[in-house]
Structures are given as structure tokens and as C-alpha cells.
């Protein structure tokens, strides 16, 4: 579904050129979750923006679904670290924002959003504002907004980093259920090793800046309900930690 070929990206500042990513090559099969993990400043979020078509590479190519990416793609959805909710809009209005921008009628918006909000445990909260929600509820609104666009690719930038441990694990399980139902191809950025191992069928470890691919790890147990308690989960967490520390 996703192919990244010889990808470079460079930031230009008053002090000169700053390489952010160098010679990245990897693929993500359709319907799988790929997790990007690496030290701060290694270019994980930059790579996510490149995949979303919000930035253009200095060199190399990105292909998604057989299409070379030259700008934002309609069936790619992105969820940001700060949820991206507008504080003056209600839960319903925030969740429907993408649909409104695409000119769907009120009836069409209801048909898409009502089952999504119900499935995410947000029924009855439609008239609340973001300031009246918990962190987990805000993230569920952001997920509803993304899924309402019926994407085939979902990009997530540390979506659960601000949440407490139990809420975080609950939303990780929600993401797994969504993945199983919709077969989305998902790329998720995280700093959390346990999160990477629980969610990532493929784990890409990046070097310190400028970011390069240090390791690509297969993870067949990802998303399994009892995986956190399995010896192979803890073994893979240890392996990822060791690769990061090298």
C-alpha cells in the first residue's frame, strides 16, 4: 500500500541546510499497522507529513495505492498529537468538519457520524465542547472525524501520548478493533516502546538525527488481546530498547 523509495528531506534555516531524513526505504503492506519509533528529532513527524503530502521530499518518491504522492491525498486521514479540535465547536461539529468541507448534506453527515460516535462511546456528548471532555474523549472525537472520511490510510502522530496509562491502553485496543474492522493501512509515530510493540505489525526504528532506517522488525503478535502478558511481547520490547540504545 505504501512504498518509500530513497527518500531525503532537508530543512532550510537562516543557518543553512539541515538534513532531517536520509535515504529512507521501506514498504507497508495494505491493511497493516506500521509504527515509527526513534529518538527525539529523528524526523518521525516530518516523515508522517511527507506521507500525508503536506511536505515534498528533497529526493526520492512516496507511492500510496499505486499513486505517486505529490500533495494531499483524499483517502489519507491524519490525527495529530494535540487532537486538532476547534474549541468553539461542539463534539458533533468537530467530528463533522471534514464532511462539511466536502459538502456532504446534513443527512449524509448524520448517516456517517451517528454510528461512528456510538461505536466510540460518544453518544450523548454531541453538544459538548472540547473543554468539557476528558483527554480520551477528545481523542475519540479526533478518531471519529478521521474515520468519517472513509480513509484507506490513517496517519497518527503520537495520538495517545498525553493520556494516562489505562486510558492509553483502552484507546490502543480501540485502534486495534478499528483496524480489524476497516483494514486500514496505518502509520503511527510513538516514543513509547510498549505501545510500538503492542500496535505495530511492522516496527521501523529510526536513528538519531538525521533519521535513517536502523531496523525493520516484524511483529506477528501485534494487537492480540493477551499480547501484553506474553513472553514474546516483553522480549520484543527489550530488543527494540537495545536497538534504540546502540
Amino acid at each position: 500500500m505504501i512504498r518509500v523509495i530513497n527518500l531525503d528531506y532537508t530543512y532550510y534555516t537562516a543557518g543553512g541546510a539541515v538534513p532531517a531524513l536520509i535515504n529512507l526505504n521501506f514498504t507497508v503492506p495494505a491493511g497493516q499497522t506500521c509504527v515509527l519509533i526513534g529518538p527525539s528529532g529523528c524526523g518521525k513527524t516530518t516523515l508522517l507529513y511527507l506521507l500525508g503530502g503536506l511536505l515534498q521530499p528533497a529526493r526520492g518518491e512516496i507511492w500510496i495505492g499505486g499513486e505517486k504522492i505529490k500533495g494531499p491525498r483524499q483517502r489519507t486521514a491524519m490525527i495529530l498529537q494535540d487532537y486538532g479540535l476547534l474549541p468553539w465547536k461542539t463534539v458533533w461539529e468537530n467530528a463533522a468538519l471534514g464532511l462539511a468541507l466536502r459538502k456532504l448534506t446534513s443527512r449524509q453527515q448524520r448517516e456517517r457520524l451517528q454510528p461512528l460516535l456510538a461505536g466510540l462511546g460518544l453518544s450523548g456528548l454531541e453538544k459538548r465542547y472540547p473543554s468539557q471532555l476528558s483527554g480520551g474523549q477528545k481523542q475519540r472525537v479526533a478518531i471519529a472525524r478521521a474515520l468519517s472520511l472513509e480513509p484507506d490510510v490513517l496517519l497518527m502522530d503520537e495520538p495517545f501520548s498525553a493520556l494516562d496509562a489505562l486510558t492509553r491502553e483502552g484507546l490502543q485496543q480501540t485502534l486495534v478493533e478499528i483496524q480489524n474492522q476497516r483494514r486500514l493501512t496505518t502509520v503511527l509515530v510513538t516514543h513509547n516502546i510498549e505501545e510500538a510493540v503492542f500496535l505495530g505489525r511492522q516496527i521501523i526504528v529510526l536513528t538519531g538525527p538525521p533519521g535513517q532506517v536502523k531496523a525493520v522488525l516484524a511483529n506477528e503478535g501485534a494487537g492480540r488481546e493477551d499480547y501484553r502478558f506474553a513472553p514474546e511481547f516483553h522480549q520484543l520490547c527489550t530488543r527494540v530498547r537495545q536497538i534504540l540504545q546502540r
Side-chain angles (χ1 to χ4, degrees):
M1 186 64 178
I2 299 174
R3 293 175 62 211
V4 174
I5 305 168
N6 302 327
L7 187 73
D8 291 355
Y9 187 79
T10 301
Y11 285 105
Y12 292 92
T13 69
V18 180
L21 297 165
I22 295 178
N23 197 35
L24 298 191
N25 288 274
F26 63 88
T27 62
V28 183
Q32 284 198 11
T33 296
C34 172
V35 171
L36 305 173
I37 190 168
S40 294
C42 72
K44 298 185 296 296
T45 298
T46 298
L47 177 53
L48 212 66
Y49 289 168
L50 286 160
L51 293 172
L54 302 177
L55 297 174
Q56 294 302 308
R59 184 180 75 95
E61 299 175 349
I62 297 172
W63 292 75
I64 298 180
E67 170 192 0
K68 185 177 178 180
I69 299 304
K70 298 179 180 178
R73 175 177 175 271
Q74 192 167 35
R75 294 200 68 195
T76 297
M78 183 176 287
I79 297 177
L80 302 173
Q81 186 175 356
D82 63 355
Y83 316 125
L85 303 184
L86 301 176
W88 59 88
K89 288 187 177 291
T90 64
V91 164
W92 182 271
E93 291 166 339
N94 269 293
L97 186 60
L99 299 178
L101 290 172
R102 292 187 181 179
K103 310 294 186 187
L104 270 70
T105 66
S106 296
R107 180 179 176 180
Q108 290 170 321
Q109 291 178 29
R110 283 196 305 274
E111 288 173 350
R112 285 206 197 178
L113 279 180
Q114 283 178 339
L116 269 176
L117 294 177
L120 288 165
L122 294 170
S123 292
L125 304 180
E126 293 89 347
K127 295 183 179 180
R128 291 193 185 181
Y129 290 88
S131 62
Q132 299 171 306
L133 303 177
S134 68
Q137 289 168 336
K138 291 176 186 177
Q139 191 56 273
R140 289 174 189 273
V141 175
I143 291 171
R145 180 173 61 195
L147 295 181
S148 73
L149 302 176
E150 298 183 344
D152 57 8
V153 171
L154 181 61
L155 308 176
M156 307 182 80
D157 187 12
E158 296 196 65
F160 311 132
S161 61
L163 306 176
D164 65 85
L166 288 178
T167 302
R168 183 178 191 136
E169 290 185 6
L171 278 172
Q172 288 168 0
Q173 191 60 51
T174 298
L175 181 61
V176 169
E177 292 166 4
I178 290 168
Q179 179 76 20
N180 291 338
Q181 292 165 3
R182 295 177 175 252
R183 305 305 300 163
L184 292 171
T185 303
T186 303
V187 180
L188 183 144
V189 166
T190 185
H191 279 99
N192 185 286
I193 292 171
E194 288 74 18
E195 180 167 271
V197 173
F198 181 71
L199 291 176
R201 183 63 62 91
Q202 176 176 261
I203 302 168
I204 297 178
V205 184
L206 299 179
T207 67
Q212 302 176 65
V213 174
K214 195 171 190 178
V216 179
L217 306 175
N219 181 21
E220 292 299 319
R224 203 175 72 215
E225 194 167 352
D226 63 347
Y227 191 38
R228 298 183 204 275
F229 307 101
E232 58 266 33
F233 173 82
H234 298 286
Q235 290 164 5
L236 188 52
C237 286
T238 298
R239 186 178 174 198
V240 172
R241 186 171 284 107
Q242 289 170 337
I243 293 170
L244 287 167
Q245 290 175 347
R246 283 179 198 157

